[in-house]
Amino acid sequence: MSDSPGSGPPPPLPRQQATPQATQSTTALRQRLAELRGPSVAPQPLDARALAALAANPGCERRALLDGAGVNKTVLAQALGSPSAFGQSQFAFMRGNAFEARVKADGGADLMRLLAEHMGTAEPVDVAVPDLTAAGPEGRAARTALALREATEAGGWTLFDHPMLALEVAGSPAYLEPDAVVVDPAGRWTVIEIKSFPMIDGSADAAKVGAAARQSAVYVLALERIAAHVNRADSSDSSETRADSSDSAGEAGKAGSAGTASVHDRILLVCPKDFSNLPTGSAVDVRKQLAVTRRQLARLTRIEDIAAALPEGTTFDPGLPPAELTAAVESVGAAYAPECLAACELAFHCRGRARDTGAVEALGRGVRGELGGLTTVDAVLAAAHGEQGDPSDPTVAALRRAAALRAEALAEAPQPVLQQTAGQQPVHQQPTPQQEGSPVCR
């Protein structure tokens, strides 16, 4: 298909004219990522949940590179000897799939009803459900972007069941698949997230709702970039058509009057109601999560820069001997925090390494930020005991003051009394008012 507006719709995703140098660079990067992953290892697709976790810790180059290269971190953690129980159970998957099928039955009638009830829209009628099948994730993403443009121009209700969205992350494309997206007659796109955890008396677990909001913010970000391209393409089509003739100018005016593509900053969260399998919904504002995700993803170091700094021949193939695989993983910097235990498959491995080296990161981001240049537990204890550190440093002064207060509190505390019975080792026992001043039986 030509890029000319007169010969058909423009490409669904913005693309610059590829130069030989850019093509060679892209090919070299893909080959390099395949070498890092292992020549016989299939790539693991990057989903919205992984992107949300990556955005929550943008300083972790290890996760950025492993996710960009498509490394299966669950298999990698097992090969490193630090398997984690991260992920959903098979029962949760089955329950979630059954509930989603229930919600989307009858052409998504329940979804449309909940959308009108909780998002303040008119009752949807004549809802179209386009076919989004295509070859491969790239083909499905292109088909989805084209269908979104057509639905916006049509000015009706359209329900997209599991569309495929493309988003560039750290120089590498990621393909995302939301549960559903609805386009209304005004050209506004709304993300629908379906979860299997219940809403009891109209409220759900705050932590789970927050995770769903962060995941949906990634979908909204990808849709915003598609909407911006659709609007630019429509504007270009209208201006070039108006330049042809006065007759075609009238047609361009009609096209320009169609709804402009926009993305709703609230998503519809659909969950089971109370303890039943009946769906209920709630509108969730994701503007805060969207701003954080946009800012954090922009901070990610480009994958090619991280890969270029690795030693020649580095690979994360799980079939390597454990010592070689550990050395390869440790060659990429990590930014461990206790929050990683709930979001990353390699968290147990990174926590073990942080504890072995005495890194203060194992105590949490808040503690790490308060300690400034003191990066190890040994350095912190030495500074607190006056063995090293600049007394004029506020952090060192605060540590020494805390150590003095602790020593003072321990000196004033009552000393434990040793009590021993025949044939047993002495045990520590706190004195009681009756025991104070009385002899100790031996």
Side-chain angles (χ1 to χ4, degrees):
M1 182 180 296
S2 170
D3 291 345
S4 172
S7 61
L13 292 175
R15 291 188 178 92
Q16 297 179 349
Q17 187 67 30
T19 62
Q21 293 82 0
T23 303
Q24 292 176 1
S25 176
T26 302
T27 303
L29 176 60
R30 290 180 178 177
Q31 292 177 350
R32 178 58 172 152
L33 294 181
E35 293 174 358
L36 291 173
R37 186 172 58 249
S40 60
V41 180
Q44 179 81 5
L46 188 63
D47 58 11
R49 185 174 297 178
L51 275 181
L54 185 60
N57 192 7
C60 186
E61 296 184 352
R62 180 177 298 171
R63 171 148 197 168
L65 181 61
L66 294 176
D67 284 343
V71 176
N72 190 326
K73 295 191 296 298
T74 301
V75 177
L76 181 61
Q78 293 175 350
L80 290 170
S82 302
S84 66
F86 175 79
Q88 280 186 309
S89 66
Q90 191 66 26
F91 174 77
F93 275 117
M94 294 174 60
R95 185 173 185 272
N97 291 337
F99 178 70
E100 182 175 341
R102 162 74 173 80
V103 171
K104 292 182 177 179
D106 300 327
D110 284 335
L111 285 182
M112 296 296 101
R113 175 182 58 82
L114 292 172
L115 185 73
E117 179 180 347
H118 296 280
M119 303 296 288
T121 65
E123 189 70 27
V125 293
D126 299 330
V127 180
V129 183
D131 183 14
L132 303 176
T133 57
E138 294 183 2
R140 288 186 59 197
R143 178 71 187 95
T144 297
L146 181 59
L148 283 169
R149 180 187 178 186
E150 293 172 347
T152 303
E153 293 175 348
W157 288 97
T158 306
L159 171 63
F160 290 81
D161 185 7
H162 282 289
M164 183 67 73
L165 312 176
L167 180 66
E168 183 175 314
V169 179
S172 179
Y175 296 98
L176 316 171
E177 190 174 4
D179 293 327
V181 173
V182 173
V183 179
D184 62 22
R188 185 169 53 183
W189 306 350
T190 303
V191 173
I192 298 179
E193 186 66 18
I194 303 174
K195 294 296 184 182
S196 60
F197 57 82
M199 282 189 184
I200 301 175
D201 294 335
S203 61
D205 184 273
K208 294 180 179 179
V209 173
R214 290 189 295 271
Q215 182 178 343
S216 300
V218 178
Y219 299 140
V220 173
L221 180 60
L223 284 172
E224 282 184 345
R225 298 186 181 183
I226 298 176
H229 175 66
V230 167
N231 292 333
R232 286 196 302 267
D234 288 343
S235 176
S236 176
D237 285 354
S238 299
S239 50
E240 290 197 15
T241 305
R242 283 195 300 268
D244 282 345
S245 63
S246 57
D247 295 338
S248 57
E251 297 178 0
K254 294 179 182 179
S257 63
T260 303
S262 62
V263 185
H264 210 308
D265 54 20
R266 293 191 301 164
I267 63 107
L268 177 63
L269 178 63
V270 179
C271 299
K273 182 178 181 180
D274 297 329
F275 300 100
S276 69
N277 204 34
L278 299 176
T280 186
S282 177
V284 180
D285 193 334
V286 296
R287 285 178 294 180
K288 178 180 178 180
Q289 291 83 358
L290 181 61
V292 172
T293 301
R294 185 184 292 113
R295 181 176 66 252
Q296 300 291 62
L297 290 181
R299 290 177 54 195
L300 288 175
T301 306
R302 295 185 66 85
I303 292 177
E304 54 263 35
D305 297 336
I306 303 175
L310 296 178
E312 189 67 26
T314 300
T315 179
F316 306 110
D317 191 338
L320 290 176
E324 295 183 18
L325 187 59
T326 301
V329 171
E330 292 303 315
S331 65
V332 188
Y336 171 77
E339 293 81 0
C340 296
L341 294 172
C344 183
E345 296 86 342
L346 288 178
F348 286 168
H349 170 79
C350 296
R351 182 181 66 176
R353 305 297 291 186
R355 288 177 173 177
D356 292 342
T357 58
V360 295
E361 284 82 358
L363 305 177
R365 291 193 179 100
V367 177
R368 175 67 185 92
E370 292 290 340
L371 293 177
L374 302 175
T375 59
T376 65
V377 175
D378 290 339
V380 172
L381 294 177
H385 296 154
E387 299 173 1
Q388 66 179 39
D390 185 2
S392 61
D393 187 344
T395 301
V396 176
L399 287 172
R400 294 181 179 178
R401 175 60 178 163
L405 290 175
R406 178 179 182 275
E408 181 180 348
L410 292 178
E412 295 178 355
Q415 297 298 320
V417 179
L418 285 177
Q419 183 178 18
Q420 182 180 9
T421 58
Q424 294 183 352
Q425 294 293 329
V427 295
H428 289 278
Q429 180 181 9
Q430 292 291 344
T432 61
Q434 292 79 6
Q435 290 175 322
E436 292 181 359
S438 61
V440 180
C441 297
R442 298 195 179 272

